[in-house]
Amino acid sequence: MPADRTALAAFLRTRRDRLTPAQAGIDPLPGRRRVLGLRKEEVAHLAGLSTDHYSRIEQGRQQHLSSDIVLSLSRALRLDEIETTHLFDLAVSPAKSRDSGWEAPQRADPGLLRLLTTLDHVPALLLGRRGDVLARNGLLCTVLGTELDPGSSFMRWLFQAPEARERILNWSDFAAAAVGGLRYETGRRPYDRKLKTLVGKLRTEDPDVARWWNDHGVTDQTSVTKRIEHPHFGILVFGIEAVNTPHDPDQRLIVYTVEPDSATAALLPLLQSWAAQARSDPSLSTPRPE
């Protein structure tokens, strides 16, 4: 079975398993139920397909799916906008993506890079494909406690660096969403070998990643809250906003926004000043004793 059809089959099964007849707005079919969610027959009925036709799709034996069928399946399974986009990515032939240049190194978008340089008062970074760091400002490094040099992987830092779990108080929520984002990327770029290698390594080395990956959840979050505990300045609360441009959707400017007049907003200028002093006197970066 082609890899994209394997992913399509698994995605449909997990979405079917999570939806009960009551949630789908139908009466359950009579007889003993062997599944937690919808039966294949129920999904087929909701989508206006024969049971045999739907079974072929879920088993990965249906090579061509029309847009109308994909939309019918989306409605039947109550998929949200991101999940529907992911379903389309999995259902259509990705052959045209083979020569799209995704293996070549990215260069930071000049417009997003200029925007980043104006945001020295809040943490910000520019991410490319696979969560690769294209650029970041000094305040981000101070808040996260890591340099995250251009060319490094934000995903590897998030899942493999001890300070990531220590500093991000809601790490599980943030990390689970990141895994959903990686799955969304694999649907868009099934021939990206570097992305497959990254995902495979993270799944092998981190049981949390493996568990979240097997859930087949997909996300493309542009707004999320992140709570960070800084060793000197305590808890900082940020609203993470993502900005990209239509001409290069594979680059995303990540901005750590703060509520006006909040405790975090008041601390950021002090944090920036402290970071400048710490660069000249490394002893200041040592966490203060309890």
Side-chain angles (χ1 to χ4, degrees):
M1 193 188 304
D4 55 312
R5 288 297 179 251
T6 302
L8 172 65
F11 182 66
L12 289 174
R13 283 196 300 270
T14 58
R15 301 308 93 176
R16 174 166 65 88
D17 287 344
R18 74 173 184 176
L19 190 65
T20 66
Q23 291 170 329
I26 61 173
D27 294 325
L29 291 175
R32 181 182 178 184
R33 301 191 70 84
R34 298 181 178 179
V35 295
L36 296 175
L38 294 176
R39 293 177 175 178
K40 290 181 181 179
E41 301 94 322
E42 291 165 337
V43 176
H45 170 72
L46 287 166
L49 305 173
S50 70
T51 300
D52 179 66
H53 190 182
Y54 177 74
S55 294
R56 291 199 307 271
I57 295 172
E58 191 175 291
Q59 293 167 5
R61 296 187 290 115
Q62 185 72 34
Q63 290 303 304
H64 175 72
L65 293 178
S66 68
S67 295
D68 288 342
I69 288 178
V70 175
L71 287 174
S72 295
L73 291 173
S74 172
R75 288 191 293 267
L77 294 170
R78 302 293 180 94
L79 303 185
D80 62 26
E81 182 178 351
I82 298 302
E83 291 172 322
T84 299
T85 300
H86 184 62
L87 182 60
F88 268 102
D89 288 335
L90 297 178
V92 301
S93 173
K96 62 182 180 180
S97 301
R98 291 179 183 269
D99 300 319
S100 298
W102 281 321
E103 298 293 332
Q106 277 184 293
R107 293 184 177 180
D109 177 83
L112 291 178
L113 195 58
R114 286 194 298 271
L115 184 56
L116 174 65
T117 60
T118 68
L119 296 171
D120 59 347
H121 59 292
V122 292
L125 76 161
L126 181 60
L127 294 179
R129 294 187 293 265
R130 315 172 199 97
D132 289 346
V133 178
L134 301 179
R136 82 286 187 268
N137 64 16
L139 193 52
L140 177 98
C141 301
T142 301
V143 166
L144 296 184
T146 180
E147 288 302 312
L148 280 179
D149 292 325
S152 63
S153 169
F154 182 82
M155 292 300 173
R156 291 186 186 276
W157 175 81
L158 181 63
F159 292 105
Q160 296 176 345
E163 68 267 18
R165 297 174 191 252
E166 294 168 0
R167 291 218 175 191
I168 304 175
L169 297 179
N170 58 332
W171 181 89
S172 293
D173 294 337
F174 192 78
V179 172
L182 283 175
R183 181 169 281 286
Y184 185 63
E185 279 199 69
T186 61
R188 294 178 57 228
R189 301 199 298 274
Y191 291 109
D192 189 330
R193 292 172 295 180
K194 292 182 179 179
L195 179 58
K196 286 185 177 181
T197 298
L198 172 64
V199 170
K201 188 174 181 61
L202 293 177
R203 291 174 63 191
T204 299
E205 296 179 353
D206 193 313
D208 287 325
V209 176
R211 173 168 52 86
W212 291 323
W213 186 263
N214 291 337
D215 288 340
H216 283 264
V218 289
T219 58
D220 187 30
Q221 294 186 354
T222 56
S223 181
V224 64
T225 299
K226 181 185 275 188
R227 300 177 70 245
I228 294 174
E229 185 169 21
H230 191 276
H232 290 271
F233 291 85
I235 296 176
L236 307 171
V237 180
F238 298 98
I240 309 301
E241 304 294 338
V243 180
N244 57 13
T245 58
H247 66 273
D248 194 348
D250 289 330
Q251 294 193 30
R252 185 168 290 188
L253 180 64
I254 310 298
V255 183
Y256 286 50
T257 65
V258 294
E259 289 289 341
D261 302 320
S262 65
T264 300
L267 284 173
L268 283 183
L270 301 176
L271 187 60
Q272 195 168 29
S273 176
W274 172 85
Q277 295 178 44
R279 282 192 291 270
S280 60
D281 184 0
S283 66
L284 293 177
S285 62
T286 303
R288 59 190 175 194
E290 296 295 333

